[in-house]
Amino acid sequence: MVLDIANPASISSPGYRFLPGEATCIDIIGDYVAIACDDNALRILDAADPSDILTVGEYSGTFGIAECFVSGDTVFTTGGRFALFSANPPSDISLMGEYSTVFAAEDIFVKHPYAYLAENNYGLSIIDISDPASPVSFGRFFGLEEYVRSVFVDRRDRIYIGTNNELMIYRMNGDSIEHLGSWTSPAAVRDIEVDGRYAFLACGNSGLRILDVSSPASISEVGYYVLGSEMTAIHLDYPRIWLVGLWARINCFDVSAFANIDEEDISKPEKSSLNIFPSPFNAECRIDGSSCRALVYDVFGSQVDEIGIPGTWRPEENSPSGLYLIRPLSAEGISTGRVLLMR
């Protein structure tokens, strides 16, 4: 099913397509959609026209396909085994390589040259994919010690591992991994997204949890929201975050208060917050800061404009009064700014 989320307050479905098997995981591959199905098939769909979704490629194997992760034009799957598929072109999916695993992973994350598999009671499995045709094991960790449910690797190569009762942070160290810090969770950490200094967790019945992980040795919770159903998946599309739960519930939150900055960014004296004046304003406001492009969002998370910094923002005449967010695209170290428009 395709959803129109332009207005999170009124989500609609412009189209859907029935599949032979139940879809267990979905990811985006260029202009297409990769779907893992429980009938042992990987399918590539063209959803450019939501009212007429087409299957453009399919691979049916003898092993189960439960989870998928897309990197470039390669699709990584888990299930009966870990496998790599080439989807170039999408109409001709081909198996590149495979590796036998102990258990069907509950989650997968790929950051070359490694694939990270959350294998439940069998811990975290790290697979070296330097040679796609011949993946090999780098190591297995926490086997039978932790029930590993989710995994994420950030831009600093920190490994975030979600278990039934905590979030653990590690990093590669030689032929093993080194512990950096942990946080006790009120429920199972079912999914993880990390953006800069913040980690966003889907914690089952304990809802959305937001952590400051800038110092892994002293992780702190800075926000949370508990919903009425179990949250199992999370997707960050700043300044929105989407949570999917049981009973087909989709929830959207504004997380603009948690800007994508790191402790290294805010420690640089030459980098500073945007200077926006006047605020409130009526017709135009001046925005000063390091030279870059910036996106303007309304409070619903919808992009309303793109501007140059330094420069002047003049909203459209029909722009409603309210709070607007100014987010630089490439000025590292400059946080998201806020400005109030009053007509």
Side-chain angles (χ1 to χ4, degrees), residues 221-245:
E221 184 174 68
V222 293
Y224 68 90
Y225 194 98
V226 179
L227 300 111
S229 64
E230 184 175 2
M231 295 294 103
T232 59
I234 193 168
H235 176 71
L236 179 63
D237 183 19
Y238 191 88
R240 300 174 183 168
I241 196 164
W242 298 85
L243 279 89
V244 180

Side-chain angles (χ1 to χ4, degrees), residues 188-314:
V189 181
R190 302 293 300 274
D191 201 7
I192 307 166
E193 288 266 7
V194 180
D195 191 34
R197 67 187 295 136
Y198 297 109
F200 303 84
L201 313 180
C203 286
N205 289 322
S206 292
L208 169 66
R209 299 281 164 161
I210 305 175
L211 309 179
D212 184 336
V213 294
S214 56
S215 176
S218 56
I219 301 171
S220 60
E221 184 174 68
V222 293
Y224 68 90
Y225 194 98
V226 179
L227 300 111
S229 64
E230 184 175 2
M231 295 294 103
T232 59
I234 193 168
H235 176 71
L236 179 63
D237 183 19
Y238 191 88
R240 300 174 183 168
I241 196 164
W242 298 85
L243 279 89
V244 180
L246 299 180
W247 323 119
R249 292 193 60 178
I250 299 177
N251 302 271
C252 181
F253 297 90
D254 179 357
V255 292
S256 56
F258 306 97
N260 175 14
I261 54 175
D262 284 336
E263 71 277 9
E264 288 186 359
D265 297 333
I266 60 177
S267 67
K268 298 176 183 177
E270 69 275 16
K271 307 291 185 179
S272 60
S273 298
L274 296 175
N275 185 18
I276 307 175
F277 60 94
S279 181
F281 75 102
N282 176 264
E284 64 180 44
C285 64
R286 176 71 184 180
I287 305 170
D288 287 335
S290 298
S291 179
C292 66
R293 301 295 297 174
L295 301 181
V296 182
Y297 294 92
D298 61 21
V299 291
F300 298 106
S302 298
Q303 181 184 334
V304 298
D305 208 346
E306 181 174 342
I307 59 177
I309 297 177
T312 299
W313 178 45
R314 299 179 179 86

Side-chain angles (χ1 to χ4, degrees), residues 72-116:
D73 55 13
T74 303
V75 183
F76 302 83
T77 68
T78 67
R81 66 192 67 180
F82 170 72
L84 301 80
F85 296 90
S86 171
N88 184 16
S91 59
D92 185 21
I93 305 173
S94 59
L95 179 65
M96 300 169 62
E98 57 185 310
Y99 179 84
S100 296
T101 55
V102 176
F103 195 83
E106 189 167 333
D107 194 19
I108 177 175
F109 195 94
V110 176
K111 187 173 184 183
H112 290 278
Y114 300 107
Y116 304 81

Side-chain angles (χ1 to χ4, degrees), residues 1-16 50 242 250:
M1 178 180 291
V2 177
L3 300 178
D4 184 341
I5 57 174
N7 180 6
S10 180
I11 300 173
S12 61
S13 175
Y16 61 90
W242 298 85
I250 299 177

